[in-house]
Amino acid sequence: MRVYNFSAGPAQLPLEVLERAQAELTDWQGSGMSVMEVSHRGKPFVACAAHAEAQLRTLLGIPDNYKVLFLQGGATAQFSVVPMNLTQPGDTAAYINTGQWSAKAIKAAIAQGLDVQVVADEKASSYTTVPEPGSFQVPAGAAYLHYTPNETIGGVEFGYVPDAAGLPLVADMSSTILSRPIDVSRYGIIYAGAQKNMGPSGLCVVIVRDDLLGKARSTTPGIFDYAAMAAADSMLNTPPTFAIYLLGLILDSLVAGGGLEAMAKRNQAKAAALYAAIDASDFYANPVAPNARSWMNVPFTLANPGLDADFIAQAAEAGLTNLKGHRSVGGMRASIYNAMPMEGVQALIDFMAEFEASAA
Ligand SMILES: *Cc1c(COP(=O)(O)O)cnc(C)c1O
């Protein structure tokens, strides 16, 4: 039996993709092998990776002057790899702090010797808000402006693209990429671990504007050097072949489903239904400012935290799993990425109403 899996990551994958992978698993494209067992340098796999890149370019409308890289080390590696590629020690970089993932990126940049200027910090609201557009100034001479469009733990999302005042804008899109259309040309670098909204763990997609290539520190290892990886089609070392293959299948299913406009409509409807249910009840609450509420990660608390364990256990019995909130936050968190259908969100809403009634 398949459950509705509300995990923040690794997250639920589309069933039709898993079934296709299953059907192809032992004999991929008539090779008599699985995709995991073929050479990454052979024609079939090179074509498979090129297909995934082409589908990603189509879906996101990635302009020709951007490279798409398939890297490893997750988004976490990029917290250090971005500074390695765009700066020298002592350079200034600007960061917006909207929560725990921003904070980790800032810490890693400081460890790379950067003078990090935090131009906006939402601490005063306990990280339940995003800065107002135009409310912060980016220092001239900074190497880039970094932000986290969707804070996966806090459930806080930007409803706009920050103005980087002409600097390269760098975005950790791990938990929001492919949830809606974006204008890639607004960004210098977009990076995203795949395991939230794009595939299994082990793959990090980096989209980088080509004028930002070739500036890496001389000490940067080749596998972390965007220019070197771009020149080698992301194959300086053995890439995560199965993850790239699965990414391609997921992108195929997104294209077939009407692309990112259609996905955005579904995601917005899912989030609106869940927030409406939370807001209509005194039993459940979401702390995030309405204009900063995430479409992807919906944290909520019970008025009586003593019932949390019962809620989680009974939800799991009803086939609704991984609703426990992040260990640092408590309460619940429903991650409703692309692969979560409206039926799953509705099942959660129905369960929440039943639980509330039974606890009264
Ligand atoms: C999950 C997540 C990360 C960390 O991803 P890893 O692949 O584990 O390194 C970083 N940033 C955001 C916004 C995330 O959601």
mmCIF file of all heavy atoms in Angstrom, residues 3-25:
data_model
loop_
_atom_site.group_PDB
_atom_site.id
_atom_site.type_symbol
_atom_site.label_atom_id
_atom_site.label_comp_id
_atom_site.label_asym_id
_atom_site.label_seq_id
_atom_site.Cartn_x
_atom_site.Cartn_y
_atom_site.Cartn_z
ATOM 1 N N VAL A 3 1.474 5.135 0.885
ATOM 2 C CA VAL A 3 0.949 6.129 1.827
ATOM 3 C C VAL A 3 1.067 7.514 1.201
ATOM 4 O O VAL A 3 1.737 7.693 0.181
ATOM 5 C CB VAL A 3 1.742 6.092 3.152
ATOM 6 C CG1 VAL A 3 1.564 4.756 3.848
ATOM 7 C CG2 VAL A 3 3.216 6.412 2.926
ATOM 8 N N TYR A 4 0.415 8.474 1.810
ATOM 9 C CA TYR A 4 0.711 9.875 1.498
ATOM 10 C C TYR A 4 1.853 10.294 2.415
ATOM 11 O O TYR A 4 1.688 10.347 3.635
ATOM 12 C CB TYR A 4 -0.522 10.755 1.704
ATOM 13 C CG TYR A 4 -1.610 10.518 0.681
ATOM 14 C CD1 TYR A 4 -2.882 10.113 1.065
ATOM 15 C CD2 TYR A 4 -1.357 10.691 -0.679
ATOM 16 C CE1 TYR A 4 -3.887 9.895 0.128
ATOM 17 C CE2 TYR A 4 -2.355 10.476 -1.628
ATOM 18 C CZ TYR A 4 -3.612 10.073 -1.210
ATOM 19 O OH TYR A 4 -4.597 9.858 -2.146
ATOM 20 N N ASN A 5 3.002 10.544 1.813
ATOM 21 C CA ASN A 5 4.229 10.811 2.564
ATOM 22 C C ASN A 5 4.489 12.319 2.579
ATOM 23 O O ASN A 5 4.809 12.901 1.546
ATOM 24 C CB ASN A 5 5.379 10.048 1.890
ATOM 25 C CG ASN A 5 6.717 10.327 2.538
ATOM 26 O OD1 ASN A 5 6.798 10.983 3.575
ATOM 27 N ND2 ASN A 5 7.772 9.820 1.926
ATOM 28 N N PHE A 6 4.360 12.908 3.771
ATOM 29 C CA PHE A 6 4.518 14.360 3.904
ATOM 30 C C PHE A 6 5.933 14.747 4.317
ATOM 31 O O PHE A 6 6.154 15.844 4.819
ATOM 32 C CB PHE A 6 3.476 14.906 4.898
ATOM 33 C CG PHE A 6 2.052 14.793 4.396
ATOM 34 C CD1 PHE A 6 1.280 13.672 4.666
ATOM 35 C CD2 PHE A 6 1.498 15.812 3.626
ATOM 36 C CE1 PHE A 6 -0.021 13.562 4.187
ATOM 37 C CE2 PHE A 6 0.196 15.710 3.143
ATOM 38 C CZ PHE A 6 -0.566 14.578 3.422
ATOM 39 N N SER A 7 6.902 13.870 4.094
ATOM 40 C CA SER A 7 8.283 14.145 4.491
ATOM 41 C C SER A 7 8.838 15.364 3.757
ATOM 42 O O SER A 7 8.573 15.578 2.575
ATOM 43 C CB SER A 7 9.157 12.934 4.189
ATOM 44 O OG SER A 7 10.509 13.274 4.392
ATOM 45 N N ALA A 8 9.693 16.114 4.486
ATOM 46 C CA ALA A 8 10.345 17.303 3.892
ATOM 47 C C ALA A 8 11.479 16.909 2.959
ATOM 48 O O ALA A 8 11.949 17.721 2.176
ATOM 49 C CB ALA A 8 10.851 18.211 4.999
ATOM 50 N N GLY A 9 11.966 15.695 3.048
ATOM 51 C CA GLY A 9 13.001 15.242 2.137
ATOM 52 C C GLY A 9 13.929 14.235 2.800
ATOM 53 O O GLY A 9 14.239 14.411 3.965
ATOM 54 N N PRO A 10 14.324 13.187 2.080
ATOM 55 C CA PRO A 10 13.793 12.788 0.776
ATOM 56 C C PRO A 10 12.276 12.673 0.814
ATOM 57 O O PRO A 10 11.717 12.226 1.810
ATOM 58 C CB PRO A 10 14.441 11.428 0.514
ATOM 59 C CG PRO A 10 15.712 11.470 1.311
ATOM 60 C CD PRO A 10 15.397 12.302 2.523
ATOM 61 N N ALA A 11 11.654 13.082 -0.268
ATOM 62 C CA ALA A 11 10.209 13.250 -0.287
ATOM 63 C C ALA A 11 9.539 12.261 -1.240
ATOM 64 O O ALA A 11 10.202 11.555 -2.001
ATOM 65 C CB ALA A 11 9.859 14.680 -0.701
ATOM 66 N N GLN A 12 8.214 12.267 -1.157
ATOM 67 C CA GLN A 12 7.403 11.419 -2.042
ATOM 68 C C GLN A 12 7.765 11.672 -3.507
ATOM 69 O O GLN A 12 7.998 12.807 -3.912
ATOM 70 C CB GLN A 12 5.930 11.772 -1.789
ATOM 71 C CG GLN A 12 4.934 11.001 -2.644
ATOM 72 C CD GLN A 12 3.500 11.187 -2.130
ATOM 73 O OE1 GLN A 12 3.255 11.178 -0.944
ATOM 74 N NE2 GLN A 12 2.554 11.349 -3.043
ATOM 75 N N LEU A 13 7.789 10.594 -4.282
ATOM 76 C CA LEU A 13 8.030 10.697 -5.730
ATOM 77 C C LEU A 13 6.761 10.287 -6.460
ATOM 78 O O LEU A 13 5.942 9.532 -5.920
ATOM 79 C CB LEU A 13 9.194 9.781 -6.134
ATOM 80 C CG LEU A 13 10.568 10.185 -5.567
ATOM 81 C CD1 LEU A 13 11.582 9.068 -5.725
ATOM 82 C CD2 LEU A 13 11.062 11.460 -6.232
ATOM 83 N N PRO A 14 6.574 10.766 -7.705
ATOM 84 C CA PRO A 14 5.342 10.411 -8.428
ATOM 85 C C PRO A 14 5.285 8.901 -8.676
ATOM 86 O O PRO A 14 6.269 8.301 -9.126
ATOM 87 C CB PRO A 14 5.457 11.171 -9.758
ATOM 88 C CG PRO A 14 6.552 12.166 -9.574
ATOM 89 C CD PRO A 14 7.453 11.655 -8.497
ATOM 90 N N LEU A 15 4.122 8.314 -8.389
ATOM 91 C CA LEU A 15 3.976 6.861 -8.523
ATOM 92 C C LEU A 15 4.272 6.403 -9.950
ATOM 93 O O LEU A 15 4.941 5.383 -10.166
ATOM 94 C CB LEU A 15 2.566 6.441 -8.096
ATOM 95 C CG LEU A 15 2.266 4.946 -8.184
ATOM 96 C CD1 LEU A 15 3.226 4.131 -7.314
ATOM 97 C CD2 LEU A 15 0.814 4.660 -7.773
ATOM 98 N N GLU A 16 3.801 7.174 -10.945
ATOM 99 C CA GLU A 16 4.008 6.708 -12.327
ATOM 100 C C GLU A 16 5.495 6.677 -12.681
ATOM 101 O O GLU A 16 5.936 5.845 -13.477
ATOM 102 C CB GLU A 16 3.188 7.534 -13.338
ATOM 103 C CG GLU A 16 3.729 8.909 -13.682
ATOM 104 C CD GLU A 16 3.167 10.024 -12.804
ATOM 105 O OE1 GLU A 16 2.611 9.734 -11.726
ATOM 106 O OE2 GLU A 16 3.305 11.209 -13.186
ATOM 107 N N VAL A 17 6.267 7.528 -12.036
ATOM 108 C CA VAL A 17 7.717 7.533 -12.271
ATOM 109 C C VAL A 17 8.350 6.298 -11.629
ATOM 110 O O VAL A 17 9.179 5.618 -12.244
ATOM 111 C CB VAL A 17 8.334 8.838 -11.720
ATOM 112 C CG1 VAL A 17 9.848 8.716 -11.607
ATOM 113 C CG2 VAL A 17 7.952 10.016 -12.609
ATOM 114 N N LEU A 18 7.939 5.995 -10.415
ATOM 115 C CA LEU A 18 8.490 4.808 -9.747
ATOM 116 C C LEU A 18 8.122 3.544 -10.527
ATOM 117 O O LEU A 18 8.935 2.623 -10.664
ATOM 118 C CB LEU A 18 7.962 4.710 -8.311
ATOM 119 C CG LEU A 18 8.435 5.828 -7.375
ATOM 120 C CD1 LEU A 18 7.766 5.690 -6.014
ATOM 121 C CD2 LEU A 18 9.952 5.814 -7.222
ATOM 122 N N GLU A 19 6.900 3.519 -11.049
ATOM 123 C CA GLU A 19 6.461 2.322 -11.794
ATOM 124 C C GLU A 19 7.232 2.180 -13.107
ATOM 125 O O GLU A 19 7.597 1.075 -13.502
ATOM 126 C CB GLU A 19 4.947 2.370 -12.024
ATOM 127 C CG GLU A 19 4.194 2.050 -10.739
ATOM 128 C CD GLU A 19 2.689 2.230 -10.840
ATOM 129 O OE1 GLU A 19 2.220 2.952 -11.761
ATOM 130 O OE2 GLU A 19 1.984 1.672 -9.971
ATOM 131 N N ARG A 20 7.498 3.315 -13.747
ATOM 132 C CA ARG A 20 8.282 3.228 -14.983
ATOM 133 C C ARG A 20 9.716 2.767 -14.679
ATOM 134 O O ARG A 20 10.269 1.910 -15.368
ATOM 135 C CB ARG A 20 8.297 4.578 -15.707
ATOM 136 C CG ARG A 20 9.058 4.475 -17.000
ATOM 137 C CD ARG A 20 8.796 5.633 -17.940
ATOM 138 N NE ARG A 20 9.892 5.713 -18.896
ATOM 139 C CZ ARG A 20 10.217 6.793 -19.580
ATOM 140 N NH1 ARG A 20 9.520 7.900 -19.422
ATOM 141 N NH2 ARG A 20 11.228 6.780 -20.425
ATOM 142 N N ALA A 21 10.294 3.325 -13.614
ATOM 143 C CA ALA A 21 11.650 2.922 -13.224
ATOM 144 C C ALA A 21 11.671 1.427 -12.880
ATOM 145 O O ALA A 21 12.610 0.706 -13.241
ATOM 146 C CB ALA A 21 12.130 3.755 -12.043
ATOM 147 N N GLN A 22 10.615 0.980 -12.213
ATOM 148 C CA GLN A 22 10.525 -0.441 -11.853
ATOM 149 C C GLN A 22 10.465 -1.306 -13.111
ATOM 150 O O GLN A 22 11.176 -2.304 -13.225
ATOM 151 C CB GLN A 22 9.280 -0.655 -11.000
ATOM 152 C CG GLN A 22 9.078 -2.081 -10.532
ATOM 153 C CD GLN A 22 7.809 -2.197 -9.698
ATOM 154 O OE1 GLN A 22 6.764 -1.630 -10.055
ATOM 155 N NE2 GLN A 22 7.905 -2.903 -8.594
ATOM 156 N N ALA A 23 9.646 -0.884 -14.063
ATOM 157 C CA ALA A 23 9.489 -1.663 -15.291
ATOM 158 C C ALA A 23 10.804 -1.736 -16.068
ATOM 159 O O ALA A 23 11.087 -2.732 -16.731
ATOM 160 C CB ALA A 23 8.389 -1.043 -16.165
ATOM 161 N N GLU A 24 11.609 -0.668 -15.987
ATOM 162 C CA GLU A 24 12.851 -0.620 -16.757
ATOM 163 C C GLU A 24 14.060 -1.099 -15.968
ATOM 164 O O GLU A 24 15.179 -1.086 -16.497
ATOM 165 C CB GLU A 24 13.138 0.839 -17.192
ATOM 166 C CG GLU A 24 12.086 1.436 -18.080
ATOM 167 C CD GLU A 24 12.382 2.889 -18.484
ATOM 168 O OE1 GLU A 24 13.254 3.537 -17.870
ATOM 169 O OE2 GLU A 24 11.718 3.364 -19.417
ATOM 170 N N LEU A 25 13.825 -1.470 -14.703
ATOM 171 C CA LEU A 25 14.973 -1.588 -13.790
ATOM 172 C C LEU A 25 15.992 -2.633 -14.233
ATOM 173 O O LEU A 25 17.193 -2.372 -14.220
ATOM 174 C CB LEU A 25 14.511 -1.872 -12.358
ATOM 175 C CG LEU A 25 15.634 -1.742 -11.328
ATOM 176 C CD1 LEU A 25 16.101 -0.294 -11.206
ATOM 177 C CD2 LEU A 25 15.203 -2.262 -9.975
#
